[in-house]
């Protein structure tokens, strides 16, 4: 799976993708993440060269009909997406890997919006299965000119009912949860066959934990060795 993130702040991803399971998945080439910064695609009157030689590249502008905050302009975002698509199309077919895609890229374009369709595990699973490349557009400020999502026929996706300052954390959330669905990303230590054994309660050593003088035990059933009963316990309340 190749993720393509359209973002004004690509450095925000470095630490999250640079550690643990996702870093390993990238190193083992199970996933790949590329960045496209709309600021680098700013042209025309929004590109100003000052007398001292400094260049300012303005990605945003004021909203029509007024309102607070600034809106990211459509043009640099669209050009960044075109650059991502071009990169995808220029990849040799073998990099799209799976026999499923027959070597042909299958592209999905996602636009982040707090009012979009709610992201969940089912969505992560079907996306991991269907596509070879996911382009994600992360907004900032008051958001991106609405024509971008319309022109690209992008799917508006929300990660929850709250408003964040930008779409970078949502992009990381999708990269993380979609990658977990890709074969080989979870090693044998982390693999958890979600449907079968999923439980929100886990315990490890010691069997008796002493905290502030009080003993906290591991539920007896988990020490019983009775797999059927343990399975029932894990599935309780589902
Ligand atoms: N003015 C907008 C909020 C913009 S928040 C509104 O009222 O709807 C700025 C950016 O953060 C958005 O463009 C989007 O990319 C991202 N964002 C914020 N909250 C999000 C959420 N819950 N899910 C997905 N993306 C979100």
């Amino acid at each position: 799976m190749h993720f393509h993130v359209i973002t004004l702040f690509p450095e925000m991803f470095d630490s999250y993708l640079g550690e643990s399971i996702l870093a390993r998945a990238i190193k083992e080439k199970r996933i790949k993440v590329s960045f496209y910064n709309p600021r680098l695609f700013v042209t025309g009157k929004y590109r100003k060269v000052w007398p001292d030689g400094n260049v300012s590249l303005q990605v945003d502008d004021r909203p029509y009909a007024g309102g607070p905050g600034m809106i990211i302009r459509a043009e640099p975002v669209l050009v960044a997406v075109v650059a991502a698509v071009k990169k995808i199309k220029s990849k040799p077919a073998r990099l799209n890997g799976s026999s499923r895609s027959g070597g042909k890229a299958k592209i999905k374009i996602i636009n982040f919006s707090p009012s979009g369709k709610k992201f969940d595990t089912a969505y992560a699973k079907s996306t991991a299965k269907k596509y070879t490349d996911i382009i994600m557009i992360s907004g900032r400020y008051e958001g991106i000119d609405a024509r971008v999502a319309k022109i690209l026929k992008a799917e508006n996706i929300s990660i929850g009912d709250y408003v964040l300052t930008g779409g970078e954390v949502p992009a990381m959330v999708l990269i993380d949860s979609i990658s977990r669905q890709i074969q080989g990303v979870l090693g044998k230590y982390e693999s958890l066959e979600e449907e079968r054994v999923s439980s929100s309660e886990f315990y490890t050593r010691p069997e008796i934990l002493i905290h502030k003088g009080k003993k906290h035990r591991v539920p007896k059933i988990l020490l019983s060795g009775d797999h059927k009963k343990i399975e029932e316990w894990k599935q309780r309340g589902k």
Side-chain angles (χ1 to χ4, degrees), residues 2-210:
H2 192 163
F3 299 96
H4 306 261
V5 190
I6 313 296
T7 171
L8 294 169
F9 301 101
E11 290 82 10
M12 286 185 179
F13 292 77
D14 291 350
S15 68
Y16 196 69
L17 298 178
E19 306 275 353
S20 187
I21 295 172
L22 293 179
R24 185 182 66 199
I26 291 168
K27 193 158 158 258
E28 292 176 348
K29 297 197 166 53
R30 297 184 198 278
I31 62 167
K32 186 172 174 179
V33 189
S34 301
F35 300 94
Y36 309 83
N37 188 341
R39 198 175 293 282
L40 303 180
F41 297 101
V42 168
T43 53
K45 67 171 177 151
Y46 292 96
R47 185 178 183 280
K48 284 199 192 82
V49 184
W50 298 97
D52 63 5
N54 275 338
V55 179
S56 63
L57 301 164
Q58 190 189 336
V59 285
D60 55 358
D61 208 333
R62 285 169 295 122
Y64 275 113
M70 295 291 270
I71 310 297
I72 298 178
R73 295 184 300 110
E75 287 109 322
V77 178
L78 287 169
V79 182
V81 173
V82 167
V85 172
K86 206 167 146 201
K87 179 162 176 167
I88 295 166
K89 298 257 158 92
S90 69
K91 270 192 288 190
R94 67 179 165 75
L95 284 185
N96 295 320
S98 66
S99 50
R100 181 178 70 233
S101 65
K104 204 173 171 297
K106 296 220 167 66
I107 307 173
K108 166 96 185 164
I109 305 182
I110 289 172
N111 178 56
F112 290 117
S113 160
S115 55
K117 178 182 156 156
K118 198 84 63 65
F119 178 74
D120 60 14
T121 299
Y123 189 94
K125 279 189 179 157
S126 72
T127 308
K129 246 197 217 121
K130 281 194 224 149
Y131 301 99
T132 60
D133 294 84
I134 301 172
I135 299 175
M136 294 182 280
I137 305 171
S138 297
R140 275 270 147 189
Y141 320 125
E142 283 307 309
I144 299 172
D145 188 312
R147 287 169 290 187
V148 167
K150 289 181 187 167
I151 290 168
L152 298 171
K153 298 193 173 62
E155 188 167 27
N156 288 315
I157 291 291
S158 163
I159 62 159
D161 292 333
Y162 37 77
V163 182
L164 301 164
T165 55
E168 285 74 18
V169 167
M172 286 187 241
V173 167
L174 264 68
I175 292 171
D176 189 314
S177 69
I178 293 170
S179 296
R180 286 170 61 83
Q181 303 298 334
I182 293 166
Q183 180 141 45
V185 167
L186 295 181
K188 66 174 174 179
Y189 293 110
E190 309 98 12
S191 139
L192 40 78
E193 299 180 67
E194 271 150 303
E195 287 84 11
R196 199 174 62 80
V197 292
S198 181
S199 159
S200 52
E201 267 185 50
F202 299 99
Y203 299 86
T204 185
R205 278 77 192 150
E207 191 183 320
I208 300 168
L209 174 73
I210 299 170

